[in-house]
Amino acid sequence: IVMVCNTIHVFLDKIQAVTGAHNILPLPVIVKNALSGSKNDVLCVLGTGLTVSRGLYDFPDFKYVTLDQKQQENLCDIVVDYNSGGNEGERLKKNKDGLLSIVENCRAQGATTFLLACTEISELLGREPIKRLDTLELLIDEAVEKIVDSIKRSRLVT
């Protein structure tokens, strides 16, 4: 089971307990594994309030630059606006510029790698030249790997 939204992974344990589904790809584990070679990086998690406040991507071996309250509110406003039609034209440009402003501020505070912890943020930043780990891309890669492995195993059985 692939849950694309980052925030829903805050509730992974509850979802598994209620549904009995233990075949859900665990995004925090996937992200931690992807970060294993980045111990010297200073991370900045760009995600919605619940993802950040619940510490979904707080790993003890890493240093972080965190958004201040105003930046976090601005980031959440950008995501909400993006989802309510701000994904084209002037509103898209405004949202992207606002997000890039947050990124630059965090860079100035020492952030070297940005964890894109929201699908809308991944879309907004697109191909901007920042060092990033995109949780959406990591999840897709993991899902494809699981599917390919499953196909290989099924061929061995038949």
Side-chain angles (χ1 to χ4, degrees):
I1 298 173
V2 178
M3 299 189 309
V4 177
C5 174
N6 284 259
T7 304
I8 199 167
H9 285 269
V10 169
F11 306 104
L12 181 60
D13 292 339
K14 286 183 181 181
I15 292 168
Q16 289 176 323
V18 170
T19 66
H22 294 285
N23 60 339
I24 301 170
L25 293 179
L27 192 51
V29 173
I30 295 166
V31 169
K32 187 173 183 181
N33 290 340
L35 285 169
S36 65
S38 307
K39 299 275 189 221
N40 295 324
D41 289 1
V42 178
L43 302 176
C44 179
V45 179
L46 299 175
T48 57
L50 196 55
T51 297
V52 173
S53 68
R54 292 282 185 96
L56 188 63
Y57 300 116
D58 289 353
F59 306 120
D61 297 339
F62 293 91
K63 295 177 183 167
Y64 292 86
V65 168
T66 56
L67 277 59
D68 63 30
Q69 184 175 345
K70 181 70 172 158
Q71 290 170 321
Q72 189 62 54
E73 289 170 3
N74 287 344
L75 182 70
C76 290
D77 289 346
I78 288 167
V79 169
V80 168
D81 188 66
Y82 181 90
N83 285 327
S84 64
N87 54 6
E88 57 188 15
E90 281 302 310
R91 283 174 64 192
L92 174 62
K93 181 178 178 351
K94 179 182 175 224
N95 286 330
K96 187 172 183 175
D97 289 347
L99 183 54
L100 288 172
S101 176
I102 291 169
V103 166
E104 288 308 315
N105 184 280
C106 292
R107 272 185 176 160
Q109 294 178 53
T112 59
T113 302
F114 292 85
L115 183 58
L116 309 186
C118 180
T119 53
E120 292 83 1
I121 293 169
S122 298
E123 290 297 312
L124 277 165
L125 286 179
R127 300 284 176 226
E128 288 297 320
I130 65 169
K131 187 174 179 185
R132 73 184 81 203
L133 265 179
D134 186 332
T135 59
L136 183 57
E137 289 180 15
L138 292 172
L139 190 60
I140 291 167
D141 290 347
E142 184 74 14
V144 168
E145 186 177 314
K146 295 283 185 194
I147 292 167
V148 169
D149 286 348
S150 177
I151 291 169
K152 286 179 182 177
R153 281 194 309 277
S154 70
R155 287 185 179 160
L156 291 174
V157 173
T158 57

